[in-house]
Amino acid sequence: MTIQLHFFASLREALGSDGETLELERDGLRVADVLDLLRARGGCWQDALGEDKTVMAAVNQEMCGHETCLADGDELAFFPPVTGG
Amino acid sequence: MTIQLHFFASLREALGSDGETLELERDGLRVADVLDLLRARGGCWQDALGEDKTVMAAVNQEMCGHETCLADGDELAFFPPVTGG
Amino acid sequence: MEQVVVTAEPFDPHVETEKLHGENPSIGAIVDFIGWMRDFNDGDSVSRMTLEHYPGMTEKALRKIVDEALRRWDLLGVRVVHRVGELKPSEPIVLVAVASAHRGEAFRACEFLIDYLKTCAPFWKKESTIAGERWVEAKRSDEAARGRWEDASKSS
Amino acid sequence: MEQVVVTAEPFDPHVETEKLHGENPSIGAIVDFIGWMRDFNDGDSVSRMTLEHYPGMTEKALRKIVDEALRRWDLLGVRVVHRVGELKPSEPIVLVAVASAHRGEAFRACEFLIDYLKTCAPFWKKESTIAGERWVEAKRSDEAARGRWEDASKSS
């Protein structure tokens, strides 16, 4: 399945990317699985998405937990806690 | 002693007066005593200041209870509950 | 800047809030309460309102309420403006504007100020309806709203 | 009128509130929260701020919060305006304006809206200080402020 990834704010800067299209061989992955895949890239990926960081997620523009299941074509965003207002 | 009386709002209209200078023979009167004196005039005085009405008082421009003691030269105001804002 | 204004002239709540913010760059939050004259009250349409006050005492009572708010919360500014005289529907009656570094204080203080103003400041409203003029009755709910602040010392 | 606006242009909070009141003569109370950019934060002077958002999701999140407020309280109108892009000190960042017939609802709903906005709407602040740029950290107190609304069903 294909997932559209987006990164925002400090995460975007740390990764040097605002997103990418991710092709996944397996179906039925959760948000946490995608995080694991990205961390496995090592370097800035491992650091910025480390277990010690608070990484928020949104699927199809709705905030969600890391256990949320993904479907083909989903838009998945990762970002730090929000600081508006 | 001499007291300057003021009446406001519905009370002013009911009494047909916005105030008067009251000469009192005795000293050491309380707000309640002045109310009794005014009620004793009968007619609109008795009606508008009746025990069944909520009459608020202020002495020298500070809200106060009916037991407050008066001094010569005091400004005493009577009015209905306030409705500003 | 005068914190308390009682005026027989129409006022613009936005100009008043602007004065409060000034260009003070340490103000992070402003909470405004604006009370407007409504064209309807207690089941009747209202075409005009007259606000009576007690010159001298009204200003004193408002300043006392403002002082109490400044004592209870850490504020960067307060402005209270209240109309008197004749008003038409959709005109502002009262503005309570509170500035602070953080929002919690401004929300608490603004509501405190309007709750006290409604029960402790000498103003009286008279409405003109098709059936004639009538004095507005004090609301029990306003008394209850003020009561909330009496037990609480400094609310968070 | 659009209830939610995310804009890269400076906005005038007063014009926005005016739009909310319109000349609707049944509005008795408006409570406004205005958040301003401060020139000082966490011990450093701040000369500039950049606000990033998530186009599409941000608007959706704000509309969801507004819908929840309209469900919880009896309101006559809501307007939320939030800046993005580059800001200078003393510019408004956010306006939350709530209109109702009586003031209690407007106070509750306005504070609810800003508490949720601060924790659930995707905006991120980056400050420019003399020591360089830095991302603003989320505040635990904002999380706590939002938590207050979760147990409470319809607050009075």
Side-chain angles (χ1 to χ4, degrees):
Chain A
M1 64 181 184
T2 303
I3 299 289
Q4 184 59 48
L5 279 177
H6 294 290
F7 307 117
F8 290 96
S10 54
L11 200 54
R12 175 178 51 73
E13 288 189 345
L15 301 176
S17 162
D18 63 0
E20 64 183 272
T21 304
L22 198 65
E23 302 282 348
L24 298 163
E25 286 172 24
R26 285 204 292 131
D27 272 2
L29 292 176
R30 297 162 311 142
V31 170
D33 299 323
V34 175
L35 266 177
D36 284 340
L37 279 172
L38 296 174
R39 280 187 201 115
R41 294 175 177 177
C44 66
W45 297 89
Q46 198 167 6
D47 290 345
L49 300 170
E51 306 273 7
D52 58 320
K53 303 290 198 306
T54 305
V55 178
M56 317 271 287
V59 172
N60 297 330
Q61 308 193 350
E62 290 266 1
M63 292 250 213
C64 63
H66 289 190
E67 299 310 309
T68 306
C69 288
L70 297 164
D72 186 42
D74 274 354
E75 175 176 325
L76 171 59
F78 291 117
F79 43 80
V82 306
T83 57
Chain B
M1 63 181 187
T2 304
I3 300 289
Q4 183 58 49
L5 279 178
H6 295 290
F7 307 116
F8 290 96
S10 55
L11 200 53
R12 175 178 52 72
E13 287 189 347
L15 300 175
S17 162
D18 62 0
E20 64 183 272
T21 304
L22 199 64
E23 304 281 350
L24 298 162
E25 286 172 24
R26 285 202 294 130
D27 272 4
L29 292 176
R30 297 163 309 143
V31 171
D33 299 323
V34 175
L35 265 177
D36 285 341
L37 279 172
L38 297 174
R39 280 187 202 117
R41 295 176 176 177
C44 66
W45 296 90
Q46 197 168 6
D47 290 345
L49 300 170
E51 306 272 7
D52 57 321
K53 302 291 197 307
T54 305
V55 179
M56 318 270 286
V59 172
N60 298 329
Q61 307 192 350
E62 291 263 0
M63 291 250 213
C64 64
H66 290 191
E67 299 310 308
T68 306
C69 287
L70 297 164
D72 186 42
D74 275 353
E75 175 176 327
L76 171 59
F78 291 116
F79 43 81
V82 305
T83 56
Chain C
M1 187 185 71
E2 185 55 68
Q3 290 170 320
V4 162
V5 176
V6 175
T7 172
E9 297 298 315
F11 69 93
D12 183 337
H14 310 319
V15 170
E16 302 299 327
T17 304
E18 202 57 49
K19 279 186 211 159
L20 181 64
H21 184 255
E23 293 287 301
N24 182 348
S26 60
I27 289 177
I30 290 186
V31 174
D32 272 359
F33 171 82
I34 310 170
W36 305 86
M37 187 187 153
R38 294 191 294 152
D39 66 347
F40 207 83
N41 195 26
D42 272 342
D44 294 300
S45 96
V46 179
S47 59
R48 199 163 40 86
M49 198 166 70
T50 309
L51 257 151
E52 180 168 334
H53 76 305
Y54 182 170
M57 178 173 167
T58 302
E59 292 83 351
K60 254 185 236 176
L62 293 176
R63 268 183 230 116
K64 205 169 145 189
I65 300 168
V66 169
D67 287 346
E68 176 63 19
L70 292 168
R71 203 183 61 70
R72 288 199 189 197
W73 293 282
D74 194 12
L75 307 177
L76 294 169
V78 173
R79 191 157 175 86
V80 176
V81 183
H82 204 295
R83 264 297 284 287
V84 290
E86 280 212 6
L87 278 85
K88 292 188 294 292
S90 290
E91 286 189 343
I93 300 170
V94 61
L95 167 78
V96 177
V98 179
S100 61
H102 303 290
R103 73 185 181 284
E105 286 95 337
F107 271 109
R108 293 293 87 64
C110 186
E111 196 166 10
F112 167 89
L113 285 162
I114 185 66
D115 284 350
Y116 266 81
L117 185 154
K118 290 236 175 203
T119 48
C120 299
F123 292 103
W124 301 273
K125 284 177 184 151
K126 191 182 198 177
E127 296 173 337
S128 296
T129 70
I130 197 146
E133 298 202 316
R134 66 182 182 202
W135 290 95
V136 172
E137 298 268 332
K139 280 191 288 183
R140 227 177 266 273
S141 59
D142 283 331
E143 201 55 57
R146 193 202 54 185
R148 295 177 304 161
W149 302 100
E150 304 213 327
D151 315 313
S153 52
K154 182 173 168 157
S155 303
S156 63
Chain D
M1 187 186 72
E2 186 54 70
Q3 289 170 322
V4 163
V5 176
V6 175
T7 172
E9 297 298 315
F11 69 93
D12 182 337
H14 310 319
V15 170
E16 301 298 327
T17 304
E18 203 56 50
K19 278 185 213 162
L20 181 64
H21 185 255
E23 292 289 301
N24 182 347
S26 60
I27 289 178
I30 289 187
V31 175
D32 271 0
F33 170 83
I34 310 170
W36 305 87
M37 185 183 154
R38 295 191 295 152
D39 66 347
F40 207 84
N41 194 26
D42 272 342
D44 295 299
S45 94
V46 179
S47 58
R48 200 162 39 87
M49 198 166 72
T50 310
L51 257 153
E52 181 169 334
H53 76 304
Y54 182 167
M57 177 173 167
T58 302
E59 292 82 351
K60 253 184 237 178
L62 293 177
R63 266 183 232 118
K64 204 169 146 187
I65 300 167
V66 169
D67 286 346
E68 176 62 20
L70 292 168
R71 202 184 61 71
R72 287 198 190 199
W73 293 282
D74 194 11
L75 307 177
L76 294 169
V78 173
R79 191 158 174 87
V80 176
V81 183
H82 204 295
R83 264 299 283 286
V84 291
E86 279 210 8
L87 278 86
K88 293 189 295 292
S90 289
E91 287 188 343
I93 301 171
V94 61
L95 166 78
V96 177
V98 179
S100 60
H102 303 291
R103 73 186 181 282
E105 285 95 337
F107 271 109
R108 293 294 87 67
C110 187
E111 195 167 10
F112 167 89
L113 285 163
I114 185 65
D115 284 350
Y116 265 82
L117 185 155
K118 290 237 177 203
T119 47
C120 300
F123 292 104
W124 300 274
K125 285 177 184 152
K126 192 182 197 176
E127 296 174 337
S128 296
T129 71
I130 196 146
E133 298 203 314
R134 67 182 181 201
W135 290 94
V136 171
E137 298 267 333
K139 281 191 288 183
R140 226 177 267 272
S141 59
D142 283 331
E143 201 55 57
R146 193 202 54 184
R148 295 178 304 163
W149 302 101
E150 304 212 329
D151 315 315
S153 53
K154 182 172 170 158
S155 303
S156 65

